[in-house]
Amino acid sequence: MRKTPDLIVVNAAVFTGDAAGTTAEAFAVTDGEFTAVGRSDEIAALAGPETAVIDADGRMLMPGICDVHLHLGLGGASVAWDLQVSPHHGPDEICEAVEARAAELGPGEWIAGGVVGSTTMEQLANVEALARLDRASGGHPVLFKDDTQHNRWVNSAALRAMGVTDDSPDPEGGTYVRDEAGRLTGVLWEQASRVAEEAFAASIEDPEARNRVTFAAAAEVCNRFGITTACDAATMEPALRTLSTLEAEGELTLRVVASTVARPLLAEPGITGAELLAASERFGSELLHVGFVKVFLDGVPMTRTAAMLDPYLPHGCSAHGPSSGECLYDLDGLVAELETAVRAGRGVKIHAAGDASMRMALDAIAVMRRRHGSRPVFHLAHPLFIAPADVPRFDELGIVADASPYLWYPSIIQDSLASCVSAEVIERSWPLADLLASGANVSAGSDWPAGAPLPHTWTGIETMVTREAPGGSEETINPAQRLTLREALVSFTRRPAEAMGLGERVGSIEVGKSADFLVLSQNLFDIDVHRIHQTKVLATYLRGLRVHEAHS
Ligand SMILES: [Zn+2]
């Protein structure tokens, strides 16, 4: 006998997100799965005396968002712990915020925060700015992340805790930025950031308790923006432990696909590579999947560390000649890294932010396809700069275009890109419609908190459709690459679910899938596309249970 549903939803405008583009009015949920999808009268007839009934009053419902690329630990820490400063803030506002926070702290406690805009960072590489930060901090070590997450601004107390002096050599792959007189400025580039993060991590008394708060906060933020499944783009061992503890205690409200890190990270100390791969073997449950290895192939264009085919534009204060950035692996080294992951049964998520690193990644994956066929999954983030000849290779090689962060609209990050990269390259950035037309899987991710201070799904969807600033703007970024609303929604649901290896389980409202769904404040198909970013998630359900409800 068929079991009576636990929950039915009727009178809804259901965007199912299935491959046939079906819409529905209603569905039933039994034991956390969708068991029927159809018309309101059909579904209402399934209800028994114990069945909970939601009358959606015509509202739009859709599958839970599957975010293909975010950073739960960093994002959770940013909302739970960090001193929040806006990328629009200059040194004055930042120092005021530091002064206010310093007044609340016990002796020796660190002030960690972010994000400082890339344009502000340029004003900070001098001893005057450092002296101001020192005064504001009242002796507390201070550590700010920039909006690329690759660089840091610290004060003198933090430099002391790091054991770094004017005479210290730069760490490999990083720079303690100094002035002409050779004095430290507190600005740290790339791997120098890791030295600061290690000193900060060592200052935390109870990392486990802190991590629980961090990851619970991350899940809460995700649920608020409709995210029910997330691919964590760089996962360390403490994150796996915390997520699995939260799940065991029934407190995890998010399905997570983890990507263990191949080489040491800037932002988080801990084991990586083969050691982490081995340690991660013992994790894996209903809500926690260890699916990927994360490989960073280069840096970011804003710091001219993404590997580009053409040199970066001339730079005012650069003492060096023309540079085009460089890859952190050679082709053989990258192939070997991919091989290790694939042999362990993992997919690989590759960070390649320049058109040259993108090409190397494509070449390496071509080798892997010849060796291993079509089964291994490869994600290529972030497909903003792709040489036109390379666009069709995503489909040919069966590669997921991990389309994050939310940089496909005019913004200060775009302004900072425009100062590094030629207008011609910017004009063909984020070729998402071309990738889609060629047949590639284009999956969207927020890259939270690197791409945006919050994983604001609705801004991402709107601007994927408009390629304008949220709400509309004269200025557009490569508007030929606009997606339709339907394509954008599928890029946030079914396609990323498939990309994460969970296509059978989540990503659409279909019988047999996990009952992960959203109730929205407005029907996206009935409004001007420039209002999509105003959408509120009234309720988020994971496995048929409500994990978020909007408070009016
Ligand atoms: Zn990322």
Side-chain angles (χ1 to χ4, degrees):
M1 204 190 92
R2 193 151 161 200
K3 225 173 138 189
T4 313
D6 302 311
L7 169 71
I8 62 166
V9 179
V10 295
N11 298 325
V14 182
F15 173 79
T16 67
D18 68 5
T22 316
T23 52
E25 295 173 350
F27 55 76
V29 174
T30 313
D31 294 334
E33 286 183 1
F34 296 115
T35 44
V37 182
R39 289 198 320 269
S40 288
D41 57 344
E42 292 168 345
I43 301 297
L46 302 174
E50 306 287 306
T51 303
V53 180
I54 297 175
D55 184 332
D57 201 17
R59 291 194 190 282
M60 177 169 169
L61 272 73
M62 65 176 284
I65 300 295
C66 301
D67 189 310
V68 85
H69 188 131
L70 48 62
H71 301 269
L72 292 171
L74 298 178
S78 78
V79 293
W81 304 101
D82 283 2
L83 176 60
Q84 299 279 349
V85 302
S86 149
H88 301 277
H89 284 167
D92 291 336
E93 287 140 310
I94 295 171
C95 286
E96 269 169 43
V98 167
E99 208 171 330
R101 175 62 68 94
E104 302 165 358
L105 296 178
E109 280 187 69
W110 283 62
I111 299 171
V115 292
V116 178
S118 296
T119 44
T120 307
M121 287 295 278
E122 286 164 20
Q123 306 168 42
L124 301 178
N126 55 73
V127 292
E128 290 76 26
L130 177 61
R132 274 177 73 192
L133 184 61
D134 286 342
R135 281 196 301 279
S137 61
H140 294 276
V142 178
L143 167 59
F144 277 113
K145 294 181 171 69
D146 78 343
D147 55 9
T148 71
Q149 304 279 328
H150 284 244
N151 309 306
R152 300 292 183 273
W153 186 36
V154 300
N155 69 348
S156 298
L159 288 166
R160 276 194 297 279
M162 293 159 63
V164 173
T165 66
D166 290 345
D167 303 322
S168 301
D170 285 335
E172 205 188 321
T175 309
Y176 303 125
V177 179
R178 297 164 224 246
D179 68 3
E180 294 86 56
R183 295 172 297 184
L184 292 166
T185 63
V187 171
L188 313 175
W189 282 351
E190 298 289 337
Q191 291 294 331
S193 303
R194 195 149 65 88
V195 181
E197 292 291 346
E198 278 167 356
F200 170 61
S203 79
I204 294 166
E205 271 177 36
D206 187 348
E208 242 163 78
R210 180 182 161 101
N211 279 340
R212 288 184 61 112
V213 174
T214 299
F215 285 91
E220 191 276 319
V221 169
C222 285
N223 295 160
R224 199 193 322 154
F225 292 103
I227 300 165
T228 49
T229 297
C231 191
D232 189 57
T235 314
M236 302 293 275
E237 194 197 13
L240 293 170
R241 263 189 278 124
T242 305
L243 289 164
S244 109
T245 306
L246 286 173
E247 182 178 1
E249 292 172 0
E251 283 175 37
L252 187 60
T253 59
L254 187 67
R255 190 177 279 99
V256 179
V257 177
S259 317
T260 61
V261 178
R263 282 187 183 177
L265 275 185
L266 290 173
E268 289 168 276
I271 58 165
T272 57
E275 212 183 336
L276 178 57
L277 198 59
S280 69
E281 294 280 330
R282 66 188 177 91
F283 297 95
S285 48
E286 168 66 22
L287 292 180
L288 177 61
H289 306 256
V290 187
F292 291 88
V293 169
K294 177 67 176 290
V295 173
F296 284 91
L297 187 50
D298 63 353
V300 291
M302 292 75 105
T303 55
R304 297 158 185 260
T305 50
M308 300 295 291
L309 294 169
D310 293 324
Y312 286 102
L313 297 177
H315 191 241
C317 62
S318 175
H320 314 288
S323 125
S324 52
E326 56 186 320
C327 289
L328 303 172
Y329 290 77
D330 60 18
L331 182 62
D332 290 345
L334 180 58
V335 168
E337 193 77 276
L338 302 186
E339 186 68 39
T340 306
V342 166
R343 281 185 187 280
R346 302 284 163 81
V348 189
K349 201 173 188 65
I350 304 175
H351 169 109
D355 46 12
S357 53
M358 198 53 88
R359 180 164 290 170
M360 183 192 281
L362 291 162
D363 291 346
I365 292 168
V367 173
M368 297 303 286
R369 289 289 182 230
R370 283 196 292 275
R371 286 187 194 168
H372 299 279
S374 61
R375 205 185 47 84
V377 181
F378 298 101
H379 293 186
L380 263 179
H382 310 269
L384 74 165
F385 300 134
I386 310 174
D390 287 335
V391 170
R393 297 179 74 195
F394 276 74
D395 176 54
E396 287 159 20
L397 293 167
I399 296 167
V400 173
D402 170 342
S404 65
Y406 291 3
L407 290 182
W408 40 65
Y409 63 85
S411 64
I412 53 167
I413 296 189
Q414 281 292 346
D415 295 346
S416 131
L417 280 179
S419 71
C420 310
V421 177
S422 75
E424 190 200 332
V425 170
I426 296 272
E427 274 160 25
R428 39 165 221 257
S429 65
W430 295 111
L432 302 184
D434 289 348
L435 284 164
L436 210 53
S438 77
N441 177 327
V442 174
S443 288
S446 56
D447 206 4
W448 179 54
L454 289 167
H456 202 291
T457 304
W458 315 99
T459 297
I461 292 171
E462 175 180 319
T463 57
M464 220 177 189
V465 171
T466 63
R467 308 282 287 211
E468 297 168 15
S473 57
E474 293 270 297
E475 206 186 332
T476 56
I477 301 278
N478 194 0
Q481 300 298 324
R482 286 173 177 144
L483 301 192
T484 67
L485 175 56
R486 196 168 289 275
E487 287 166 343
L489 288 173
V490 172
S491 290
F492 274 83
T493 51
R494 194 180 72 245
R495 271 194 225 103
E498 287 164 0
M500 291 183 234
L502 294 174
E504 301 283 300
R505 195 82 195 102
V506 298
S508 59
I509 295 180
E510 289 183 84
V511 171
K513 285 195 177 181
S514 178
D516 304 352
F517 63 92
L518 313 177
V519 183
L520 304 185
S521 62
Q522 53 183 356
N523 190 325
L524 309 185
F525 291 96
D526 290 348
I527 57 170
D528 176 354
V529 290
H530 297 101
R531 286 178 44 210
I532 293 173
H533 72 283
Q534 297 166 346
T535 304
K536 295 263 178 302
V537 179
L538 299 181
T540 302
Y541 287 77
L542 178 74
R543 297 190 292 172
L545 298 175
R546 194 171 61 213
V547 293
H548 159 78
E549 188 178 18
H551 302 284
S552 48

